[in-house]
């Protein structure tokens, strides 16, 4: 986790209450995760608001900015706005546990919480599955629809008279 050191929110020594942190997210951040990205040139800000309580921490992570995507239809690069917000509750316990969706447990001995994974997931969930450039006209989309393969309708199989007779017996009982 040393490579994510810059994304630690140190909560020990802070008074109970709200504390704000800001992280600038760029290409170098995503290279830390050793995964291939579907976008280029990320320019994202992650605002982290931590509300420290005596027995737990609340985090609100808001990401906003832009990334460059490649249109699935025209292969044209376009800028896509990113904006998303997540809330996570951090409890203290015996060992690290992130099996629940909105609740993370960290050891009671920890003095900081690393938000890098949460920021990464927040941005990745903001990227659409189907990337369509806003520069495509309605006419382009109509032409594409006309020439795309029509969905084949599933035909219902003809009923087998042997099964029909068995179903009648079943219904009588």
């Amino acid at each position: 986790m040393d490579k994510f050191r810059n994304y630690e929110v140190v909560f020990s020594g802070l008074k109970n209450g709200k504390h704000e942190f800001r992280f600038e997210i760029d290409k170098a951040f995503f290279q830390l995760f050793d995964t291939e990205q579907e976008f280029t040139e990320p320019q994202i800000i992650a605002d982290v608001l931590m509300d420290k309580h005596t027995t737990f921490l609340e985090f609100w992570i808001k990401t906003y900015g832009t990334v460059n995507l490649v249109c699935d239809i025209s292969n044209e690069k376009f800028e896509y706005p990113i904006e998303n917000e997540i809330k996570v509750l951090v409890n203290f316990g015996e060992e690290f546990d992130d099996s629940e969706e909105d609740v993370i447990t960290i050891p009671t001995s920890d003095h900081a919480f690393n938000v890098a994974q949460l920021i990464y997931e927040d941005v990745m969930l903001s990227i659409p599955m189907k990337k369509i450039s806003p520069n495509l006209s309605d006419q382009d989309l109509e032409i594409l629809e006309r020439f795309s393969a029509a969905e084949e309708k599933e035909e219902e199989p003809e009923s087998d008279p042997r099964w029909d007779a068995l179903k009648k017996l079943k219904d009588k009982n």
Side-chain angles (χ1 to χ4, degrees):
M1 284 297 255
D2 284 337
K3 63 184 180 178
F4 298 113
R5 187 175 337 139
N6 294 334
Y7 303 97
E8 285 191 350
V9 173
V10 179
F11 54 82
S12 67
L14 294 177
K15 293 181 180 181
N16 287 355
K18 295 184 179 181
H19 305 274
E20 295 181 20
F21 304 89
R22 176 172 276 195
F23 300 96
E24 292 185 15
I25 307 302
D26 57 11
K27 185 178 180 180
F29 172 80
F30 292 100
Q31 290 173 341
L32 297 173
F33 288 91
D34 299 325
T35 58
E36 190 173 320
Q37 311 307 322
E38 296 182 5
F39 54 84
T40 58
E41 301 174 39
Q43 297 175 347
I44 300 168
I45 300 293
D47 285 332
V48 177
L49 176 65
M50 178 188 71
D51 194 358
K52 182 180 179 187
H53 301 271
T54 307
T55 57
F56 66 95
L57 307 168
E58 287 180 282
F59 283 92
W60 289 270
I61 299 173
K62 181 177 182 176
T63 54
Y64 55 92
T66 59
V67 295
N68 284 346
L69 299 176
V70 176
C71 178
D72 291 338
I73 297 170
S74 66
N75 230 16
E76 168 193 6
K77 282 189 176 184
F78 66 98
E79 193 171 84
Y80 184 79
I82 296 288
E83 188 169 344
N84 201 13
E85 187 172 342
I86 59 173
K87 179 182 176 185
V88 176
L89 184 69
V90 177
N91 284 326
F92 297 102
E94 295 293 317
E95 58 187 31
F96 183 84
D97 179 17
D98 64 351
S99 59
E100 292 185 46
E101 187 175 327
D102 295 334
V103 179
I104 297 174
T105 302
I106 61 174
T108 53
S109 60
D110 281 4
H111 64 282
F113 179 71
N114 197 303
V115 294
Q117 183 67 34
L118 294 173
I119 293 171
Y120 176 80
E121 290 172 5
D122 196 28
V123 171
M124 296 308 284
L125 290 172
S126 300
I127 305 297
M129 294 291 284
K130 192 171 186 179
K131 298 157 199 68
I132 299 178
S133 170
N135 300 330
L136 283 180
S137 68
D138 290 338
Q139 185 180 7
D140 292 336
L141 295 173
E142 285 176 23
I143 291 171
L144 182 67
E145 183 126 352
R146 193 173 340 139
F147 289 105
S148 23
E151 291 182 26
E152 294 180 22
K153 293 182 180 178
E154 246 183 70
E155 294 182 22
E156 289 187 32
E158 293 181 27
S159 65
D160 187 338
R162 296 171 291 182
W163 287 111
D164 291 341
L166 288 172
K167 285 180 185 175
K168 288 179 185 174
L169 288 173
K170 180 182 173 186
D171 292 340
K172 287 182 182 178
N173 291 333

